[in-house]
């Protein structure tokens, strides 16, 4: 058994966790015992972050204190903003710019000498990281547009404040609630590639900045974090093709094209997060342009009813609807994956701290397939 090869660690149990539970056959996602539906519709992102980090939902007084502490940590040092501006001017990708900015945050950490094993100190550091990532990301977008960054508004929640810092205008209630829900839906999802990467780094007892920076790097890969961007690019292609959406998807499938946002490594049925964002997409469509909602629904109906993909275990995942939701909120397409990271930071931090409570260095083996018994020949005779 010890020598069984499990490529990609498929099905291998490496840890126990009380953070999130996924039932891929039932389409169920739970954070610490609370269904994702209840949390998305009845809590804020700050409440969910507190839940992941502390194991319980805060009461009104604790939430106010926690949210206030988060808001107080949003500002970033000028040297970080200068670097972000330079990256924007150089045409750097948003994900790479955020990775650099988050790594730089440790230079202004007020507790630089805290022991990584000190859970409370790591929680404070994690809170600062989660609070500052939106500021870094919004500033990068402002610089790209030739605008100056907008200072954080301590009276706004994390989701609404990000939209405000990015656009310079306070979002309306529907936009703020929709984006807050989207952040909740992406906050945690078991031991996905980026979370596991953060845990591996955390298992070395490196600091939380290193763990989060590593998570960002893992999420930047197209096999993990970029599908919602791919979805939106396809929707735009459909819109610009001049074809009816049904005609386009029929033609695309006949040509063997894969429609992004369908299928998931864990879910065999429709992703519960996709169902929630589908509802939000319809609400946004009622107050604006219904085009994107119409196209996504047309694709889903066709692939479900005509191609029977859901019956084959290939169903819409969260990315299929998050792309069009973000687009309707006015968010640039190449910012979708960084927003994913912005949300998932709370989950990465929670998993690292949970694992470190009973830490063991993560050190798997590889089966050697190289040559044996080679004779060393001196360099002048090779």
């Amino acid at each position: 058994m010890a020598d069984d090869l499990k490529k990609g660690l498929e099905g291998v149990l490496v840890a126990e966790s009380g953070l999130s539970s996924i039932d891929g056959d039932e389409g169920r996602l739970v954070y610490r015992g609370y269904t994702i539906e209840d949390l998305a519709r009845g809590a804020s992102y700050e409440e969910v972050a507190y839940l992941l980090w502390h194991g319980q939902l805060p009461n009104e007084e604790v939430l106010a204190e926690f949210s206030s502490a988060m808001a107080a940590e949003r500002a970033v040092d000028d040297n970080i903003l200068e670097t972000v501006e330079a990256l924007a001017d150089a045409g750097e990708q948003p994900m790479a710019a955020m990775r650099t900015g988050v790594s730089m945050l440790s230079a202004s950490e007020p507790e630089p000498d805290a022991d990584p094993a000190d859970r409370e100190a790591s929680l404070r550091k994690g809170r600062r990281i989660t609070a500052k990532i939106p500021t870094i990301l919004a500033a990068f977008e402002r610089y790209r547009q030739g605008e100056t960054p907008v200072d954080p508004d301590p009276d706004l929640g994390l989701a609404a404040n990000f939209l405000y810092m990015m656009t310079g205008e306070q979002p309306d209630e529907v936009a703020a609630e929709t984006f807050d829900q989207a952040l909740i839906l992406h906050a945690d999802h078991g031991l996905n590639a980026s979370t596991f990467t953060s845990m591996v780094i955390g298992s070395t007892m490196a600091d939380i900045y290193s763990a989060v920076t590593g998570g960002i790097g893992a999420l930047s890969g197209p096999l993990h974090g970029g599908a919602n961007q791919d979805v939106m690019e396809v929707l735009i292609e459909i819109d610009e093709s001049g074809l009816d959406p049904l005609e386009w998807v029929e033609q695309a499938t006949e040509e063997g094209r894969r429609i992004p946002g369908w299928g998931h490594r864990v879910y065999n049925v429709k992703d519960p997060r996709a169902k929630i964002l589908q509802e939000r997409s319809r609400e946004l469509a009622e107050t604006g342009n219904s085009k994107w909602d119409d196209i996504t629904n047309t694709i889903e109906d066709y692939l479900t009813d005509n191609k029977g993909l859901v019956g084959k275990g290939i169903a819409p995942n969260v990315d299929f609807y998050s792309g069009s939701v973000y687009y309707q909120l006015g968010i640039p397409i190449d910012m979708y994956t960084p927003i994913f990271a912005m949300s998932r930071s709370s989950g990465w931090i929670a998993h690292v701290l949970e694992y470190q409570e009973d830490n063991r260095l993560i050190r798997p083996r590889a089966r050697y397939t190289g040559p044996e018994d080679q004779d060393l020949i001196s360099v002048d005779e090779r």
Side-chain angles (χ1 to χ4, degrees), residues 75-307:
V76 299
D77 284 1
D78 288 342
N79 64 326
I80 296 176
L81 291 178
E82 290 169 1
T83 298
V84 170
E85 182 178 17
L87 292 172
D89 291 343
E92 181 62 282
Q93 294 296 311
M95 211 48 185
M98 182 171 65
R99 181 194 65 221
T100 300
V102 170
S103 182
M104 285 186 68
L105 288 175
S106 63
S108 57
E109 167 57 46
E111 301 177 84
D113 299 324
D115 188 338
D118 183 339
R119 176 180 171 82
E120 292 305 313
S122 292
L123 271 173
R124 291 191 293 272
K125 291 181 179 181
R127 186 184 67 205
R128 294 181 191 114
I129 293 170
T130 303
K132 294 177 190 300
I133 286 178
T135 307
I136 292 172
L137 192 54
F140 177 79
E141 175 58 21
R142 296 286 292 181
Y143 284 131
R144 286 202 303 181
Q145 302 303 323
E147 305 283 351
T148 57
V150 175
D151 291 335
D153 185 339
D155 295 326
L156 295 176
L158 186 144
N161 180 65
F162 172 75
L163 295 177
Y164 165 66
M165 288 191 297
M166 188 181 68
T167 65
E169 298 180 2
Q170 290 199 11
D172 61 35
E173 186 175 345
V174 173
E177 288 183 358
T178 299
F179 192 59
D180 192 63
Q181 273 194 338
L183 296 183
I184 290 170
L185 298 178
H186 289 86
D188 193 44
H189 207 246
L191 297 194
N192 51 82
S194 57
T195 297
F196 187 62
T197 298
S198 296
M199 284 176 55
V200 170
I201 295 171
S203 79
T204 72
M205 299 311 294
D207 69 8
I208 201 71
Y209 288 96
S210 298
V212 173
T213 302
I216 294 171
L219 189 63
S220 68
L223 295 184
H224 187 12
N228 52 9
Q229 179 174 337
D230 295 337
V231 169
M232 197 60 228
E233 289 172 350
V234 165
L235 297 184
I236 292 173
E237 179 185 342
I238 294 172
D239 182 52
E240 294 178 348
S241 72
L243 298 175
D244 178 86
L246 179 59
E247 182 182 357
W248 186 95
V249 71
E250 287 177 338
Q251 181 176 310
T253 54
E254 287 174 2
E255 294 172 352
R257 285 190 62 174
R258 178 184 174 276
I259 308 300
W262 280 72
H264 194 277
R265 187 72 173 265
V266 178
Y267 293 114
N268 300 313
V269 295
K270 189 170 182 176
D271 189 329
R273 301 168 298 174
K275 295 178 182 179
I276 295 169
L277 286 179
Q278 184 178 24
E279 294 174 5
R280 300 307 300 202
S281 177
R282 288 170 180 164
E283 290 183 27
L284 290 171
E286 291 173 359
T287 60
N289 190 336
S290 65
K291 172 172 56 180
W292 308 114
D293 187 58
D294 292 340
I295 294 175
T296 51
N297 282 299
T298 297
I299 294 174
E300 179 172 352
D301 291 343
Y302 176 78
L303 295 181
T304 300
D305 299 334
N306 294 74
K307 292 296 183 179

